[in-house]
Amino acid sequence: MSRKTVTLLLFSDIIEIMLEKFAKKNQNIFFDAHFHYAVCKELGIELPDFGSGISWSGISCAHSKEEFEIQKDAPSCVIQAYGMHPQNAANENIKESTAFLEELLSKNLISFIGEAGFDFFNDEFKAAAALQEEIWNIQLELAIKYNIPLVVHCRKANHKLFEYSRQLSRLPEVLFHSFMGPPVEARSLLERGINAYFSFGKQVMNGNKKVIACVQELPEERILAETDAPFQFLKGEKYTELTDIQRINEKIYQLSHGFEMTNVIS
Ligand SMILES: [Zn+2]
């Protein structure tokens, strides 16, 4: 069988921009829709090098001034995002972080706000629900004001997304990162006029039924691959490496097309 070169990535407006910006025509590109550059750097996780002819780019979220100081010096293939994370809501200096976010927006130093969202995964996070909502509203309003896409983190709180669907539909794009499904809720977000994209990481590899159903059922131009590196590692792994975008991407391709991607990397 002849070796076929497949364009390894994916589907959305973001990807089109990336292809124009970072890759020459016919060049393959891996795109990581969500990772954490500063945390990776701290752990010694390097940016991927897939060899000649294959580009890599990704969106990195910083969640403190310190993380952003490290992230801002990353090479231009790292797309800059900053946000107040719902898991940090109880410890966030909201006034300071809001001022910092506004500064980044007014100086055009970030392309996305995020992660922003809701996390009701455990009692500790749930106890900060009001603070989560406060920082969510600040970021949502700034995203609308600056007409900038939002990267959303949402665990056990999809009802909040529907509560805010009208405001979310005013944004140019929304990326629901590590979306946990089910697909009917993803479709419902799209039907409410949200220009929604959904990114999936290692849940596609550990048999997560709702996530796999999303990958199989949602329009592929709405689906992106992410590592969330260094987090969300599989059993037996120490971290998620940035190079893992390759196997995540291959798995997503296989799930959505029903057959294996012919790999261009030997
Ligand atoms: Zn993350």
Side-chain angles (χ1 to χ4, degrees), residues 34 36 115 177 228 231:
H34 184 85
H36 301 275
E115 300 165 49
H177 115 80
D228 202 7
F231 308 115

Side-chain angles (χ1 to χ4, degrees), residues 1-6 253 259-263:
M1 228 171 89
S2 67
R3 259 168 97 78
K4 208 171 82 189
T5 304
V6 182
Y253 187 92
F259 54 86
E260 301 278 331
M261 175 189 281
T262 310
N263 205 336

Side-chain angles (χ1 to χ4, degrees), residues 109-215:
L109 292 174
I110 50 173
S111 306
F112 300 89
I113 295 176
E115 300 165 49
F118 298 94
D119 196 319
F120 299 160
F121 188 70
N122 61 30
D123 290 341
E124 186 198 332
F125 296 153
K126 260 191 256 175
L131 287 167
Q132 288 188 30
E133 190 140 14
E134 186 181 341
I135 56 176
W136 162 261
N137 276 309
I138 290 167
Q139 296 180 100
L140 184 56
E141 277 164 29
L142 284 172
I144 293 169
K145 179 177 165 191
Y146 285 86
N147 197 34
I148 195 171
L150 192 65
V151 178
V152 173
H153 167 110
C154 188
R155 272 207 306 183
K156 304 266 180 214
N158 279 5
H159 61 285
K160 298 301 287 183
L161 303 179
F162 290 100
E163 212 178 297
Y164 283 97
S165 60
R166 197 178 49 81
Q167 290 95 319
L168 287 168
S169 71
R170 294 173 63 194
L171 296 175
E173 288 179 334
V174 182
L175 176 69
F176 295 97
H177 115 80
S178 195
F179 188 71
M180 298 306 283
V184 65
E185 292 191 7
R187 276 195 296 268
S188 183
L189 291 166
L190 286 162
E191 279 158 14
R192 287 172 185 231
I194 300 169
N195 192 12
Y197 294 86
F198 304 90
S199 58
F200 304 99
K202 283 195 170 166
Q203 285 83 10
V204 298
M205 305 176 86
N206 69 9
N208 186 311
K209 286 200 177 104
K210 280 192 208 166
V211 169
I212 287 170
C214 281
V215 173

Side-chain angles (χ1 to χ4, degrees), residues 36 61-65 67-68 82-85 88 92 114-116:
H36 301 275
C61 292
H63 293 298
S64 66
K65 216 173 178 171
E67 281 184 12
F68 190 80
Y82 168 86
M84 289 181 263
H85 196 289
N88 300 337
E92 192 73 70
E115 300 165 49

